[in-house]
Amino acid sequence: MKSFLSHLKLFFQDGTPAPDQVDDRGRITDRAIQNRNRLKFGIGNIMYQSEECGLGPIHTAIIKALGGGAVQLGYMGAAGSVGSLVQWLGAWLLARTGSSRRAMTFALLGGAAAGFALTALLLMALEPGWRPWCLTGYVIFGLLLAGASGIQVNIETSWIGDLTPPSMMGWFTSIKWLISALGGLAFLLLFGAAAQWGARHPQYELHVYAALLLLVGCSHIVAVLLIRTISDRRPQPANLLFAGKGNARLHYAALPFWGYIAFFVLWSGGRSSLIGFTTAYLLSLNYSMTGISMLLAIQFVISGLMLLVLGRVTDRFGSRRPLIAVSGVIACCMFLWVASAWFGLAPIILYMIVNGAAGHAHSMLAINYGQEIFPSRGRAGYFGMSRVVIGVAVMICTVSAGYFLHAVSAAGWTWQLWGAELNAYHLLFTLCSLFTLCSVVPLLLVGRQTIPEE
């Protein structure tokens, strides 16, 4: 018992390193301190990111319970893009506070406030006359919660970059992502079960949803208490637009910066456009939602295994080559959706299994690659401004894909090929796969170039 309490006390220590435990850039080299830091980041991710993963499907049920329809669902569908478009505010907050810990505290308090506001709106909606106003408020504060999440991601990414040497980055982030993935799965199952119970007891439905949003708000407060024990680092900001006040401006003309953006636009644009219509396609094949959920669970397991393997690989070889390999393989596997025209569900099941490597593992590789090519000074700004461009471009891609599918379907397009009939879905999936496969080209063109430190 005494040993357990001593380890628990050690876990919650501040973790301020001694001078001989940091490198020449102030990044911590002591693995004992870093091990505690990465565990805290992983647990913190469960508190302020993973529970929001579970909220994804719940937003639809809540909006319908409040009397909303396609318009409100369309606004909430933009939550992911909102998170990307406001990430640059994380760089601004880091510059204003001069502390990674304080900046993250403000961002978490913003997320907590949004969670508590959503809880209050759902309780107010118990009075039917208030529901139209509560519906509008729910969409607004739901988007604010997504914005707070995007700011948190930017601050966390910058914090980890200032905290961890490149030779330890894969080791550090693999466990953080693994804990986050497991937390996301747990919240997805918990929130799904709660929503199902609420649907069976409609008189308590809004009470259940309010309890879930209250959990989101409280988890952010717990995260505030936890991150106060992570080793703080002083950020190294750069001005986003103009040089001055002792800070240089970001190097927007640098090839690695635009190569990173081009990679993400091609990868996320193609993937988002495909994923946005795969559920509708599966349902058209009479595939059950229960079966889809089971396949998603398999992807979480595969993603966890990939995280452990790739963490060791990237510390030895860097993130660019593994990122090229994983991106290329997954892009090629996207053609399995087209192969379903000949072989039915078998290629889709195979895709779902292989696609596990493109979950948290691919996200880890992509962010770590950004850590490698962006300099310490202005790192948060580079991540934030790149996400603005990426967010807008991906929105354009997904909306264009919807219009394309509508037009081709309305024209009644089909093609008889090798004994199978290809329809508008297969044509869209082919184009999305080719678009995503092109994402490896910018990585090859940039090569090993980075934006140099000043």
Side-chain angles (χ1 to χ4, degrees), residues 60-87:
T60 301
I62 293 175
I63 286 174
K64 288 184 176 180
L66 293 175
V71 174
Q72 290 78 16
L73 290 173
Y75 279 113
M76 284 305 299
S81 296
V82 169
S84 293
L85 293 175
V86 301
Q87 274 203 24

PDB file of all heavy atoms in Angstrom, residues 60-87:
ATOM      1  N   THR A  60     -26.632  13.870 -33.609  1.00  0.00           N
ATOM      2  CA  THR A  60     -27.785  13.653 -34.490  1.00  0.00           C
ATOM      3  C   THR A  60     -29.033  13.340 -33.686  1.00  0.00           C
ATOM      4  O   THR A  60     -30.110  13.912 -33.920  1.00  0.00           O
ATOM      5  CB  THR A  60     -27.486  12.507 -35.475  1.00  0.00           C
ATOM      6  OG1 THR A  60     -26.335  12.835 -36.254  1.00  0.00           O
ATOM      7  CG2 THR A  60     -28.672  12.277 -36.397  1.00  0.00           C
ATOM      8  N   ALA A  61     -28.900  12.432 -32.708  1.00  0.00           N
ATOM      9  CA  ALA A  61     -30.057  12.048 -31.894  1.00  0.00           C
ATOM     10  C   ALA A  61     -30.569  13.235 -31.078  1.00  0.00           C
ATOM     11  O   ALA A  61     -31.788  13.425 -30.936  1.00  0.00           O
ATOM     12  CB  ALA A  61     -29.674  10.894 -30.967  1.00  0.00           C
ATOM     13  N   ILE A  62     -29.661  14.045 -30.529  1.00  0.00           N
ATOM     14  CA  ILE A  62     -30.070  15.190 -29.711  1.00  0.00           C
ATOM     15  C   ILE A  62     -30.801  16.226 -30.557  1.00  0.00           C
ATOM     16  O   ILE A  62     -31.848  16.758 -30.156  1.00  0.00           O
ATOM     17  CB  ILE A  62     -28.846  15.830 -29.026  1.00  0.00           C
ATOM     18  CG1 ILE A  62     -28.262  14.870 -27.986  1.00  0.00           C
ATOM     19  CG2 ILE A  62     -29.229  17.142 -28.360  1.00  0.00           C
ATOM     20  CD1 ILE A  62     -26.984  15.362 -27.330  1.00  0.00           C
ATOM     21  N   ILE A  63     -30.261  16.528 -31.734  1.00  0.00           N
ATOM     22  CA  ILE A  63     -30.897  17.516 -32.605  1.00  0.00           C
ATOM     23  C   ILE A  63     -32.294  17.062 -33.002  1.00  0.00           C
ATOM     24  O   ILE A  63     -33.248  17.854 -33.024  1.00  0.00           O
ATOM     25  CB  ILE A  63     -30.010  17.769 -33.839  1.00  0.00           C
ATOM     26  CG1 ILE A  63     -28.784  18.603 -33.433  1.00  0.00           C
ATOM     27  CG2 ILE A  63     -30.791  18.485 -34.937  1.00  0.00           C
ATOM     28  CD1 ILE A  63     -27.776  18.782 -34.537  1.00  0.00           C
ATOM     29  N   LYS A  64     -32.447  15.779 -33.270  1.00  0.00           N
ATOM     30  CA  LYS A  64     -33.781  15.271 -33.609  1.00  0.00           C
ATOM     31  C   LYS A  64     -34.711  15.344 -32.402  1.00  0.00           C
ATOM     32  O   LYS A  64     -35.902  15.668 -32.535  1.00  0.00           O
ATOM     33  CB  LYS A  64     -33.672  13.837 -34.120  1.00  0.00           C
ATOM     34  CG  LYS A  64     -33.046  13.736 -35.506  1.00  0.00           C
ATOM     35  CD  LYS A  64     -33.049  12.305 -36.018  1.00  0.00           C
ATOM     36  CE  LYS A  64     -32.497  12.242 -37.444  1.00  0.00           C
ATOM     37  NZ  LYS A  64     -32.492  10.859 -37.982  1.00  0.00           N
ATOM     38  N   ALA A  65     -34.172  15.060 -31.208  1.00  0.00           N
ATOM     39  CA  ALA A  65     -34.992  15.131 -29.999  1.00  0.00           C
ATOM     40  C   ALA A  65     -35.448  16.554 -29.721  1.00  0.00           C
ATOM     41  O   ALA A  65     -36.508  16.781 -29.121  1.00  0.00           O
ATOM     42  CB  ALA A  65     -34.214  14.584 -28.800  1.00  0.00           C
ATOM     43  N   LEU A  66     -34.652  17.546 -30.145  1.00  0.00           N
ATOM     44  CA  LEU A  66     -35.007  18.948 -29.952  1.00  0.00           C
ATOM     45  C   LEU A  66     -35.899  19.479 -31.068  1.00  0.00           C
ATOM     46  O   LEU A  66     -36.261  20.661 -31.062  1.00  0.00           O
ATOM     47  CB  LEU A  66     -33.741  19.807 -29.858  1.00  0.00           C
ATOM     48  CG  LEU A  66     -32.848  19.578 -28.635  1.00  0.00           C
ATOM     49  CD1 LEU A  66     -31.575  20.403 -28.737  1.00  0.00           C
ATOM     50  CD2 LEU A  66     -33.598  19.899 -27.345  1.00  0.00           C
ATOM     51  N   GLY A  67     -36.220  18.629 -32.034  1.00  0.00           N
ATOM     52  CA  GLY A  67     -37.098  19.033 -33.123  1.00  0.00           C
ATOM     53  C   GLY A  67     -36.368  19.551 -34.343  1.00  0.00           C
ATOM     54  O   GLY A  67     -36.992  20.137 -35.235  1.00  0.00           O
ATOM     55  N   GLY A  68     -35.047  19.358 -34.405  1.00  0.00           N
ATOM     56  CA  GLY A  68     -34.271  19.822 -35.539  1.00  0.00           C
ATOM     57  C   GLY A  68     -34.330  18.875 -36.717  1.00  0.00           C
ATOM     58  O   GLY A  68     -34.857  17.764 -36.630  1.00  0.00           O
ATOM     59  N   GLY A  69     -33.768  19.321 -37.845  1.00  0.00           N
ATOM     60  CA  GLY A  69     -33.778  18.506 -39.053  1.00  0.00           C
ATOM     61  C   GLY A  69     -32.500  18.644 -39.834  1.00  0.00           C
ATOM     62  O   GLY A  69     -31.420  18.858 -39.269  1.00  0.00           O
ATOM     63  N   ALA A  70     -32.599  18.597 -41.144  1.00  0.00           N
ATOM     64  CA  ALA A  70     -31.429  18.539 -42.019  1.00  0.00           C
ATOM     65  C   ALA A  70     -30.574  19.803 -41.911  1.00  0.00           C
ATOM     66  O   ALA A  70     -29.346  19.730 -41.992  1.00  0.00           O
ATOM     67  CB  ALA A  70     -31.870  18.332 -43.464  1.00  0.00           C
ATOM     68  N   VAL A  71     -31.213  20.964 -41.719  1.00  0.00           N
ATOM     69  CA  VAL A  71     -30.443  22.215 -41.650  1.00  0.00           C
ATOM     70  C   VAL A  71     -29.509  22.206 -40.458  1.00  0.00           C
ATOM     71  O   VAL A  71     -28.305  22.490 -40.569  1.00  0.00           O
ATOM     72  CB  VAL A  71     -31.397  23.428 -41.571  1.00  0.00           C
ATOM     73  CG1 VAL A  71     -30.594  24.712 -41.352  1.00  0.00           C
ATOM     74  CG2 VAL A  71     -32.216  23.539 -42.849  1.00  0.00           C
ATOM     75  N   GLN A  72     -30.051  21.863 -39.283  1.00  0.00           N
ATOM     76  CA  GLN A  72     -29.220  21.829 -38.074  1.00  0.00           C
ATOM     77  C   GLN A  72     -28.164  20.733 -38.153  1.00  0.00           C
ATOM     78  O   GLN A  72     -27.028  20.922 -37.707  1.00  0.00           O
ATOM     79  CB  GLN A  72     -30.100  21.616 -36.835  1.00  0.00           C
ATOM     80  CG  GLN A  72     -30.976  22.794 -36.473  1.00  0.00           C
ATOM     81  CD  GLN A  72     -32.224  22.906 -37.349  1.00  0.00           C
ATOM     82  OE1 GLN A  72     -32.609  21.957 -38.030  1.00  0.00           O
ATOM     83  NE2 GLN A  72     -32.857  24.061 -37.315  1.00  0.00           N
ATOM     84  N   LEU A  73     -28.530  19.581 -38.735  1.00  0.00           N
ATOM     85  CA  LEU A  73     -27.554  18.500 -38.895  1.00  0.00           C
ATOM     86  C   LEU A  73     -26.433  18.931 -39.833  1.00  0.00           C
ATOM     87  O   LEU A  73     -25.266  18.559 -39.645  1.00  0.00           O
ATOM     88  CB  LEU A  73     -28.247  17.243 -39.437  1.00  0.00           C
ATOM     89  CG  LEU A  73     -29.190  16.529 -38.468  1.00  0.00           C
ATOM     90  CD1 LEU A  73     -29.929  15.401 -39.186  1.00  0.00           C
ATOM     91  CD2 LEU A  73     -28.416  15.972 -37.276  1.00  0.00           C
ATOM     92  N   GLY A  74     -26.778  19.736 -40.844  1.00  0.00           N
ATOM     93  CA  GLY A  74     -25.754  20.224 -41.765  1.00  0.00           C
ATOM     94  C   GLY A  74     -24.757  21.129 -41.067  1.00  0.00           C
ATOM     95  O   GLY A  74     -23.551  21.023 -41.286  1.00  0.00           O
ATOM     96  N   TYR A  75     -25.265  22.003 -40.187  1.00  0.00           N
ATOM     97  CA  TYR A  75     -24.361  22.873 -39.430  1.00  0.00           C
ATOM     98  C   TYR A  75     -23.454  22.056 -38.513  1.00  0.00           C
ATOM     99  O   TYR A  75     -22.244  22.294 -38.435  1.00  0.00           O
ATOM    100  CB  TYR A  75     -25.159  23.884 -38.605  1.00  0.00           C
ATOM    101  CG  TYR A  75     -25.623  25.085 -39.390  1.00  0.00           C
ATOM    102  CD1 TYR A  75     -26.975  25.298 -39.629  1.00  0.00           C
ATOM    103  CD2 TYR A  75     -24.708  26.011 -39.878  1.00  0.00           C
ATOM    104  CE1 TYR A  75     -27.407  26.407 -40.350  1.00  0.00           C
ATOM    105  CE2 TYR A  75     -25.133  27.119 -40.594  1.00  0.00           C
ATOM    106  CZ  TYR A  75     -26.486  27.307 -40.834  1.00  0.00           C
ATOM    107  OH  TYR A  75     -26.888  28.404 -41.545  1.00  0.00           O
ATOM    108  N   MET A  76     -24.024  21.080 -37.804  1.00  0.00           N
ATOM    109  CA  MET A  76     -23.217  20.268 -36.898  1.00  0.00           C
ATOM    110  C   MET A  76     -22.230  19.406 -37.658  1.00  0.00           C
ATOM    111  O   MET A  76     -21.167  19.053 -37.143  1.00  0.00           O
ATOM    112  CB  MET A  76     -24.112  19.382 -36.039  1.00  0.00           C
ATOM    113  CG  MET A  76     -24.809  20.111 -34.901  1.00  0.00           C
ATOM    114  SD  MET A  76     -23.679  21.002 -33.807  1.00  0.00           S
ATOM    115  CE  MET A  76     -22.667  19.648 -33.193  1.00  0.00           C
ATOM    116  N   GLY A  77     -22.555  19.087 -38.912  1.00  0.00           N
ATOM    117  CA  GLY A  77     -21.624  18.318 -39.727  1.00  0.00           C
ATOM    118  C   GLY A  77     -20.352  19.080 -40.032  1.00  0.00           C
ATOM    119  O   GLY A  77     -19.335  18.485 -40.408  1.00  0.00           O
ATOM    120  N   ALA A  78     -20.385  20.398 -39.850  1.00  0.00           N
ATOM    121  CA  ALA A  78     -19.204  21.229 -40.092  1.00  0.00           C
ATOM    122  C   ALA A  78     -18.315  21.346 -38.868  1.00  0.00           C
ATOM    123  O   ALA A  78     -17.325  22.083 -38.896  1.00  0.00           O
ATOM    124  CB  ALA A  78     -19.638  22.626 -40.545  1.00  0.00           C
ATOM    125  N   ALA A  79     -18.633  20.608 -37.797  1.00  0.00           N
ATOM    126  CA  ALA A  79     -17.878  20.727 -36.550  1.00  0.00           C
ATOM    127  C   ALA A  79     -16.394  20.434 -36.753  1.00  0.00           C
ATOM    128  O   ALA A  79     -15.526  21.134 -36.219  1.00  0.00           O
ATOM    129  CB  ALA A  79     -18.467  19.809 -35.490  1.00  0.00           C
ATOM    130  N   GLY A  80     -16.094  19.378 -37.516  1.00  0.00           N
ATOM    131  CA  GLY A  80     -14.693  19.026 -37.741  1.00  0.00           C
ATOM    132  C   GLY A  80     -13.933  20.133 -38.459  1.00  0.00           C
ATOM    133  O   GLY A  80     -12.788  20.440 -38.115  1.00  0.00           O
ATOM    134  N   SER A  81     -14.590  20.750 -39.430  1.00  0.00           N
ATOM    135  CA  SER A  81     -13.938  21.841 -40.157  1.00  0.00           C
ATOM    136  C   SER A  81     -13.752  23.065 -39.268  1.00  0.00           C
ATOM    137  O   SER A  81     -12.741  23.766 -39.373  1.00  0.00           O
ATOM    138  CB  SER A  81     -14.774  22.216 -41.386  1.00  0.00           C
ATOM    139  OG  SER A  81     -14.831  21.128 -42.299  1.00  0.00           O
ATOM    140  N   VAL A  82     -14.709  23.321 -38.375  1.00  0.00           N
ATOM    141  CA  VAL A  82     -14.564  24.449 -37.443  1.00  0.00           C
ATOM    142  C   VAL A  82     -13.338  24.246 -36.561  1.00  0.00           C
ATOM    143  O   VAL A  82     -12.550  25.169 -36.324  1.00  0.00           O
ATOM    144  CB  VAL A  82     -15.835  24.595 -36.575  1.00  0.00           C
ATOM    145  CG1 VAL A  82     -15.593  25.574 -35.426  1.00  0.00           C
ATOM    146  CG2 VAL A  82     -17.005  25.070 -37.426  1.00  0.00           C
ATOM    147  N   GLY A  83     -13.155  23.011 -36.079  1.00  0.00           N
ATOM    148  CA  GLY A  83     -11.981  22.715 -35.262  1.00  0.00           C
ATOM    149  C   GLY A  83     -10.680  22.996 -35.990  1.00  0.00           C
ATOM    150  O   GLY A  83      -9.704  23.448 -35.381  1.00  0.00           O
ATOM    151  N   SER A  84     -10.660  22.734 -37.297  1.00  0.00           N
ATOM    152  CA  SER A  84      -9.453  22.996 -38.081  1.00  0.00           C
ATOM    153  C   SER A  84      -9.253  24.493 -38.320  1.00  0.00           C
ATOM    154  O   SER A  84      -8.138  25.007 -38.231  1.00  0.00           O
ATOM    155  CB  SER A  84      -9.541  22.275 -39.436  1.00  0.00           C
ATOM    156  OG  SER A  84      -9.515  20.872 -39.264  1.00  0.00           O
ATOM    157  N   LEU A  85     -10.349  25.190 -38.619  1.00  0.00           N
ATOM    158  CA  LEU A  85     -10.246  26.596 -38.998  1.00  0.00           C
ATOM    159  C   LEU A  85      -9.805  27.499 -37.848  1.00  0.00           C
ATOM    160  O   LEU A  85      -9.263  28.582 -38.090  1.00  0.00           O
ATOM    161  CB  LEU A  85     -11.592  27.082 -39.552  1.00  0.00           C
ATOM    162  CG  LEU A  85     -12.029  26.460 -40.889  1.00  0.00           C
ATOM    163  CD1 LEU A  85     -13.418  26.926 -41.268  1.00  0.00           C
ATOM    164  CD2 LEU A  85     -11.040  26.799 -41.993  1.00  0.00           C
ATOM    165  N   VAL A  86     -10.035  27.071 -36.607  1.00  0.00           N
ATOM    166  CA  VAL A  86      -9.672  27.933 -35.473  1.00  0.00           C
ATOM    167  C   VAL A  86      -8.408  27.468 -34.758  1.00  0.00           C
ATOM    168  O   VAL A  86      -8.049  28.021 -33.721  1.00  0.00           O
ATOM    169  CB  VAL A  86     -10.832  28.039 -34.449  1.00  0.00           C
ATOM    170  CG1 VAL A  86     -12.074  28.604 -35.112  1.00  0.00           C
ATOM    171  CG2 VAL A  86     -11.132  26.694 -33.802  1.00  0.00           C
ATOM    172  N   GLN A  87      -7.723  26.473 -35.305  1.00  0.00           N
ATOM    173  CA  GLN A  87      -6.515  25.993 -34.635  1.00  0.00           C
ATOM    174  C   GLN A  87      -5.469  27.094 -34.465  1.00  0.00           C
ATOM    175  O   GLN A  87      -4.694  27.072 -33.507  1.00  0.00           O
ATOM    176  CB  GLN A  87      -5.910  24.808 -35.405  1.00  0.00           C
ATOM    177  CG  GLN A  87      -6.502  23.464 -35.026  1.00  0.00           C
ATOM    178  CD  GLN A  87      -5.573  22.316 -35.347  1.00  0.00           C
ATOM    179  OE1 GLN A  87      -4.355  22.476 -35.435  1.00  0.00           O
ATOM    180  NE2 GLN A  87      -6.139  21.132 -35.541  1.00  0.00           N
TER     181      GLN A  87
END
